Amino acid sequence: TALRRLRASPLARYTPGPPHRAFLMDAERFRLLRAPSQSGKTLVAAYETVSRCLGRHPFHSTKPPPIEARVVCHSFRQSVVVQTKVQAFLTPAMLRADCSFHPVRGFKHNTISFANGSRIVFVTAEQDRLALASATLDLVWIDEPPPPDVYAESASRLVQTGGSMYLTLTPVGRPVGWLKDEVERGVLSETHFSLSSAACPWMT
């Protein structure tokens, strides 16, 4: 039955930790999740992105599918890591028949095409800025600290739709003073946590 399939889906089996749940419950359009490496921040953003593409968010009413989503990664290598996290939440029934995934190369054409018409396109911050500018989007997820111009260009892609953007990052080794300013100005709603068994119950 449909109920049995829903309960068996990877989305239904996901159990967020307390800070991950707080991130999911945050209703602000522009959000930032700041946390250490290996703390589940990419996984929760993957869960959120797939949920929105399916129109099944656990805490918010979202735009009905189809939606256009973009994921901005630091590099192609990191993009494949993120694509693998997203792929873990997908089932063949969610996707178009021509949408395929390779564990080394990621999704064909770096695009996830859903049966309901939604799409997730993966790009990198290393690409020509013109390549990042040519879309009207409903959702942008930026993984790891972006350059300020990539952040600004991504936000501009959401103006016509009133769409959402979230950033997931570990702020180490890159200049993030401008992001701190965005948080302090109230532009970005921030969720942050330290690595602990309380925040990440799956860890000892």
Side-chain angles (χ1 to χ4, degrees):
T1 66
L3 181 59
R4 187 182 301 117
R5 288 195 300 270
L6 178 60
R7 287 174 174 169
S9 76
L11 288 173
R13 294 195 298 270
Y14 175 66
T15 303
H20 309 83
R21 185 180 178 87
F23 169 75
L24 291 170
M25 294 179 70
D26 189 344
E28 296 296 325
R29 283 182 60 211
F30 293 88
R31 293 174 288 151
L32 184 152
L33 180 61
R34 175 169 57 91
S37 296
Q38 305 301 312
S39 61
K41 63 184 185 300
T42 302
L43 195 64
V44 70
Y47 172 87
E48 166 116 354
T49 303
V50 173
S51 296
R52 286 180 178 269
C53 285
L54 295 173
R56 299 182 192 166
H57 198 283
F59 301 113
H60 308 297
S61 296
T62 60
K63 180 180 177 179
I67 72 165
E68 287 287 326
R70 172 181 288 174
V71 182
V72 183
C73 301
H74 174 65
S75 63
F76 175 74
R77 185 175 181 180
Q78 180 63 18
S79 172
V80 174
V81 172
V82 174
Q83 290 182 49
T84 301
K85 300 278 189 180
V86 176
Q87 194 270 340
F89 286 114
L90 302 173
T91 64
M94 297 177 186
L95 305 176
R96 284 180 35 164
D98 59 352
C99 181
S100 60
F101 176 79
H102 188 280
V104 176
R105 297 187 294 272
F107 284 94
K108 183 180 179 180
H109 304 308
N110 297 309
T111 300
I112 302 174
S113 299
F114 288 81
N116 65 12
S118 292
R119 290 198 315 160
I120 305 173
V121 178
F122 294 83
V123 301
T124 73
E126 297 172 344
Q127 289 179 267
D128 188 314
R129 297 299 185 262
L130 289 176
L132 300 177
S134 57
T136 297
L137 303 169
D138 301 291
L139 175 66
V140 176
W141 165 21
I142 302 177
D143 186 65
E144 298 305 340
D149 60 331
V150 170
Y151 168 83
E153 183 58 50
S154 297
S156 72
R157 299 299 98 208
L158 302 165
V159 171
Q160 293 186 39
T161 63
S164 300
M165 177 166 66
Y166 35 89
L167 294 79
T168 53
L169 55 89
T170 302
V172 175
R174 297 182 201 170
V176 292
W178 65 273
L179 268 178
K180 182 180 178 183
D181 291 342
E182 292 290 273
V183 172
E184 292 177 348
R185 289 171 49 219
V187 176
L188 284 168
S189 175
E190 183 186 41
T191 302
H192 62 89
F193 62 95
S194 300
L195 201 61
S196 68
S197 58
C200 306
W202 57 87
M203 292 186 171
T204 64

